[in-house]
Each structure stands twice: as C-alpha cells, then as structure tokens.
Amino acid sequence: MVLTTVPAHPHVATSLLVFDDVNRATDALPAILGAGARAAELMDARALRVAQRLPAAPESMRGIDVQAHTALLVELQAEQEAELTEQSRDLLAALADARLSMPAELSQDGAARAAMWTVRKGLYPAVAGARPAGRHTNLLEDVAVPPEHLRTTVRNLAELFVRHGYDDAVIFGHARDANLHFMINPRLDDPAQVDTYAAFTEDMVEVILGAGGTLKAEHGTGRIMSAYVERQFGPELYALMRRIKAACDPAGILAPGVVLNEDPLAHLKHLKTMPTAHPLVDACVECGFCEPVCPSRDVTTTPRQRIVLMREMAVADPQRREELAKAFEYQAVQTCAGDSMCVTVCPVGIDTGAVMKGMRAEAAPPVAQRAGRTAAMHWAGTTTAVRAGLGVAAVLPGGVLAAGSRAVRTAAPHDLVPEVGKDLPGPGTKRSALRPGAVTTRTPAAGATADQGAVGVVLFPSCTGAMFGSDSPGAAQAFLDLCARAGVHVRIPEQIDSLCCAVPWTSKGLTGGARTMAEQVRQVLTEASEGGRLPVVTDAASCTLGLVESDPGLQVMDALAFVRAHVLPRVPVDPDRRLASVAVHPTCATTHLDVTDDLLALARSVARQVTVPVSWGCCGFAGDRGMLHPELTAGATAPQVAELAAVEARHGAFDAYISANRTCEMGMSRATGRTYEHVLEVLARLAR
C-alpha cells in the first residue's frame, strides 16, 4: 500500500474553455456556474502565453493561439458517475451559445487534469518570473467584487493598465468567486515609476470600492493596502479595529503598521526591489514553492533564502557584502545538497542546486582542480585506496574511528574531511571482480548474433557500490544474477575500474576532472554499446542521472526501469515468498529520471504492502556531503524518521527497507537505524 491523498470527490472532470476575449469569458460564467461547476479559473491572454511555456503545460494548452484569447479552467465534481455525466451534459448545453474559440472537451484523465492544475497553481510565480529583465518588481494584488460586477471590473482594470502604461499587466484568478489577481511590474527604485504606481493605486482603489468590492480577498491586507483600510471599512469600523489592536497589543509590537497604519503614504515607503544577482536566479519571485523539498530547509537555508541573500549581497556595501559572503559559504554553498529537487517544483525552472555547484567551482583553487583531474585520470587507484581505507576502518572500534575523524575536523576544513563512525560500511566488491553470470566483456564478432529473445545490455556498475559494501553482494551483482536467470546477456566494459559517472566531480565543482572523466566514459561506452545500439544500465540512480546529464549520446537506463521491463516478467517472485511489508525511500535521482514508478513496481513484486512515507524527501547524503555535514542528513530526514517510527510503533518493523542508490541507502540507514538496501538486492534474494 502506498500512502496517497484521496480526492474529496471520486468523480471529476476538467476542461479548459477558450474564448475570443475576456468579456465573452465573464459573460459565460453564470451559465457555467449554473451547470454545477465547482471551480472556474480565469487566465487572460498574457497569462496564457506564460502558461504555455511551463514544463507542465499539457498539449491542449500549448496549441492555443493566445493573441487575444481568455481561458476558463472549469472543473466539475460529483459523488456518483451518473451525477458527473449529468453535470457534463448541462455544462456543454450551457456553452452551446458561448461562441468558444475551440470545442469544449471535458477530461477525467488524472494526469491531464493534474497538468492543468499544476499550471494554474504555478501561474503567479511563472507570470512574475516572466517580468522584464532588470530591477522590475512584481506587484500582485488580489481583489474581489460582487459577481455581477466582475465583467465591468475586468474592463475597468484593463483600461487602467493602458492609462498608466502597464502594457505587460496580467489578469487571472478565481472567477467563480469574482476574486481577481492582477500583476504589474514597475521599477520601484525609479521615483517617476513610483509616482505612476501611486496614481494607479488610487484609481484602482476607486474602481474596486466603487463596485462594492474588497481590496484584499484572500492574502491579507499588508502594508501595500494599509493606507486604504479606513476608506474601505469606514471611520467607525476602523476605530473599532484600532481599539481591538490596542487591547491585544498595547505596546504595538505585533506587526506594527502592517494592517493598520495612520500614514497615508505607507504603501509608497520601504518598497522592496528585485536587484539582479545571477542570470540563473533572477527570475525568482520568492514564492517559496521550493522550500518544502529542500533538504537543508531546517538546517541552514532554502533555495528561496539563498537567492534573497544573493540579492542582498548584490546591492550591499563592501563591508556588509564581505560579512554576508563569509556566512554564505557554509549557510548556502556547502550545505546545499545539490540534489536539484528545487527545480522539480519551481514554476520558472530555477535550479538553485546547479547555481551552488557553480559557486563551488568558482571557489575551488587551482590545486583542487588539478587534484580533481589527477583523480579522474587515475580513478582505479583512487577507488582502490578508498576501499583499502574502508577495510582498515572496518576493523577499528567505532568510537575510535569517530573520535579520530572529529579530531582531524577540528583542524582541517569540514568540506575536506568526512565525519565517520561505526555505521561506516566496509568495502564492496571490486567492479572487475563481479561474478559474470550471463556476461561477455568482448564485442561480438561481425555477423554473430545473440540468443533469440535475449536482450543485450551494457552494465556500468556504480563505483559507490564497489567502495561502500553492504550485507549482500550489492546491487550490481544482484542485477547480474537477475539477468542471468532471465537469459539477458550483459556486457561490462573491461576498463570499468577506471570509470565513473563524473557526479563526484560535478558535485564538488571540479569541472576539469568532470570533463576528463566524462570523455573517458563516452569513449568506452560508445564502443561497449556498439555505437549506442545497446542500452547502458547503471545500478545507482544518481549515476544514471550523471550519465544522462553528461549527454554521451547513448541509450542510458536506470536498472529499475530495465529490470521492470525486461527481467521481472521472466523472473517472477513466488507469491508465497513475498515479504509482508517494505518501506520505500525514493530518491532525488529517481524523481529526476522519472523512475520512481519503476521502483514502486519492483517493491510491489517483493512485498504485499509497500509504504512510501508521505514526508519522504532527499536524504541530504548527496554522495559524501552527509559525511562532510552530518547535520544536513539529520535535518533532511527528521520528518521521515518520525513518520516511520510512528508506523512501526503501531504495526512493528518492516520486513525490509529499500531504495535505489547506495549512498542514499547509507544516509537512510544512519538516520533511521534500519538497514536500507537496493530493491534489486531484495528481488534477487526472493526470486531464487
């Protein structure tokens, strides 16, 4: 069983209705709502143009000619299928005379509906992110008027935008409730533009209050509208508000001047600007969508906070900039996991992890870059040394090992010396020593063919599995065993001990070493895969992602996807051997690769009950970063650890704890005290 959110209404249908202009859209609203629509979201032409560029935008939205169109995202919800059918019929009948620009299509497909709503919910930061380059500030307001005044209000606002020169203004919002959002992008460091903004605000207030509306509908008043609270509510109610405020906060220390402010120009003072800081983050509107998925959110800073600090440094005086930069190194750069989970939820596609890794590259001294290139050219020796060190560490008492590493860390930089202890695994199996099973390491002779029905594949075993062993032979060996039983021919490059996916170098900003290793891998894998004919598979999701991002022009697959498609059908698990329950930890790499469903499918093949904690997220181990900064993994995993402990308290321990990446398994094992292993190891064990 996977923990999921159950929709409030089991039967739902969604449609994007497109009209020639905003007036026709608002005119159609009464009929649409009368047909039972539970939601009707407005997007004007400019909003639609931005929405079309979002990664989540469905094809139905991308194909709209939005020169002057307006759309309504309409949703029907019902308890019974028959009720939804009736609502759908009523809606289509109500739209018969609405003069739509394209036929109305109601979709019950979950993925299509989710895509449309993802676009709508991310519209504010997306629209704001599309503001003109430079120091333009996105100012968003949310007003509401009685529904019968919606059409006139939209027209009046459009006229105000033209009158005051806001040609890039955007209107969207909750049309069902006549709650409108509009956005303008003035430069608030330009006195002339501030004067224009002041005049516009006066006119806008007159339009909204003149229609019997409210200047704030759902996001609170704040300083920007504080000067107009008395005008909206009248002197008597305003005086009562002041008395209540004084009674509750006699010292005036709670949000002073934020809602109630006697200064009629409060909304024009202390204005926030958006200085440019970095080309890859300047589109950020500080919406905070990134914060819940950031592993350092409870430890140091989030992507949003990192960007705010970058902007402050961009305009700070030299002394302040130096102070901020010194703190920024640890608070932002070094404690960023570099997992790029932020980009998966950012409506404008900002990858703060990539920016932080870029800063590591800029800060890396020449000697570090040279060392990175040397390690790349002699990777077999490097991994042998690491394995030897882990072998020695494995026989030392855990307390001695931990005390020794902490002692060294007191003198050496934490970003060079890891903190290790009794949970440090011993060395794994050298990759060239993996048991072959059905493996050939040579390119077939010309004209030779593989067995009929066999699937040829090149295995690129992860060096993390070779360096950090587990209680079983490891994920790479499990992959080989499963392929042998399925009759799948596997090839391992003969030079494998010298190769790596290059992720360790890119994570640390060692760009020269990353390029050196990537080129070696490209040459070897091109030959091993017969020019890309055979797929290349890796047994660690982060390594798969590393190969994909290095763009070697090959068919790169994660072992999860390959085994699910080509091995599992041939090597099923006997139902009597399946485990009762497993806990699954997806990873940031399985998310980026879109193979989490494959992970869950394999988990279901080995267990009757599969649990993914609702609070799961990147573990923050990030290769070796969890050893360099243990506080990062501890903070990142705390919610998941608490959730798993609560489940175990009710139902007992799970029969297995599984993931899809060796270092993530190490991080989760450290955090939970449970042994995490690759799902392929469990599958190989049970499928015997």
Side-chain angles (χ1 to χ4, degrees), residues 321-575:
R321 185 181 303 118
E322 184 178 354
E323 293 172 354
L324 288 171
K326 184 177 180 180
F328 192 81
E329 176 64 18
Y330 169 76
Q331 295 287 337
V333 178
Q334 295 304 337
T335 52
C336 174
D339 63 335
S340 296
M341 284 295 282
C342 46
V343 77
T344 67
V345 292
C346 177
V348 292
I350 296 174
D351 187 347
T352 314
V355 175
M356 294 301 106
K357 287 187 284 190
M359 290 185 174
R360 291 173 195 165
E362 293 173 3
V367 64
Q369 295 288 4
R370 287 195 297 272
R373 286 191 292 271
T374 300
M377 291 185 290
H378 303 89
W379 190 236
T382 303
T383 56
T384 297
V386 172
R387 293 178 67 255
L390 290 171
V392 173
V395 301
L396 294 175
V400 172
L401 192 63
S405 68
R406 284 196 295 269
V408 176
R409 282 164 63 88
T410 60
H414 286 191
D415 296 303
L416 294 178
V417 181
E419 181 176 313
V420 296
K422 62 181 180 180
D423 61 350
L424 184 68
T429 302
K430 189 175 181 180
R431 289 181 287 174
S432 57
L434 290 168
R435 296 195 306 274
V439 178
T440 174
T441 58
R442 296 186 301 276
T443 302
T449 59
D451 294 348
Q452 290 297 317
V455 178
V457 63
V458 176
L459 175 62
F460 188 88
S462 167
C463 49
T464 58
M467 288 188 284
F468 301 110
S470 62
D471 294 338
S472 67
Q477 187 61 57
F479 179 83
L480 291 174
D481 292 345
L482 289 166
C483 286
R485 280 174 249 165
V488 175
H489 287 250
V490 184
R491 176 179 301 147
I492 299 177
E494 294 182 355
Q495 308 95 319
I496 190 62
D497 288 332
S498 299
L499 303 178
C500 177
C501 63
V503 167
W505 287 267
T506 57
S507 176
K508 294 179 179 298
L510 302 176
T511 53
R515 287 192 297 269
T516 298
M517 179 57 74
E519 182 54 35
Q520 293 176 177
V521 169
R522 185 178 294 109
Q523 293 176 5
V524 171
L525 290 185
T526 298
E527 179 181 357
S529 67
E530 300 174 22
R533 185 182 71 83
L534 300 177
V536 176
V537 170
T538 65
D539 56 286
S542 63
C543 299
T544 306
L545 185 62
L547 290 180
V548 169
E549 291 179 339
S550 68
D551 191 26
L554 304 171
Q555 300 180 61
V556 179
M557 294 180 68
D558 190 74
L560 298 172
F562 185 87
V563 169
R564 181 187 183 186
H566 301 295
V567 176
L568 190 59
R570 305 181 188 189
V571 189
V573 176
D574 189 322

Side-chain angles (χ1 to χ4, degrees), residues 77-265:
Q77 301 175 358
E79 296 289 345
Q80 303 296 330
E81 180 69 32
E83 182 186 357
L84 183 65
T85 300
E86 182 179 354
Q87 288 184 8
S88 300
R89 184 173 58 249
D90 292 346
L91 177 62
L92 294 176
L95 293 170
D97 298 324
R99 298 175 65 184
L100 294 171
S101 299
M102 54 191 297
E105 295 182 1
L106 284 161
S107 174
Q108 296 186 54
D109 179 72
R113 290 179 46 253
M116 285 188 278
W117 279 109
T118 297
V119 170
R120 170 59 191 91
K121 291 177 180 178
L123 199 55
Y124 156 60
V127 169
R131 67 190 182 278
R135 299 191 176 195
H136 292 265
T137 299
N138 51 285
L139 283 177
L140 176 75
E141 289 300 341
D142 63 300
V143 299
V145 295
E148 61 270 21
H149 293 295
L150 178 62
R151 184 181 193 275
T152 302
T153 301
V154 170
R155 185 188 66 232
N156 290 340
L157 286 174
E159 291 175 355
L160 289 184
F161 297 148
V162 173
R163 185 189 312 167
H164 293 283
Y166 295 128
D167 298 329
D168 57 352
V170 178
I171 298 178
F172 57 99
H174 317 299
R176 182 182 187 276
D177 304 305
N179 174 197
L180 296 173
H181 300 300
F182 66 84
M183 186 179 297
I184 57 177
N185 297 295
R187 281 198 59 159
L188 297 180
D189 58 350
D190 181 341
Q193 292 202 34
V194 172
D195 290 342
T196 299
Y197 167 65
F200 165 80
T201 302
E202 287 291 329
D203 290 344
M204 181 272 295
V205 168
E206 195 63 38
V207 165
I208 301 303
L209 297 186
T214 177
L215 297 174
K216 279 294 177 180
E218 59 177 337
H219 294 299
T221 298
R223 282 192 306 107
I224 290 295
M225 286 294 118
S226 63
Y228 301 98
V229 173
E230 183 172 6
R231 187 186 303 187
Q232 175 171 334
F233 292 97
E236 185 175 355
L237 277 178
Y238 187 74
L240 181 59
M241 293 178 193
R242 297 294 304 179
R243 288 172 59 191
I244 295 173
K245 168 73 170 173
C248 297
D249 180 24
I253 61 174
L254 300 177
V258 172
V259 177
L260 305 178
N261 197 315
E262 303 301 326
D263 185 352
L265 299 179

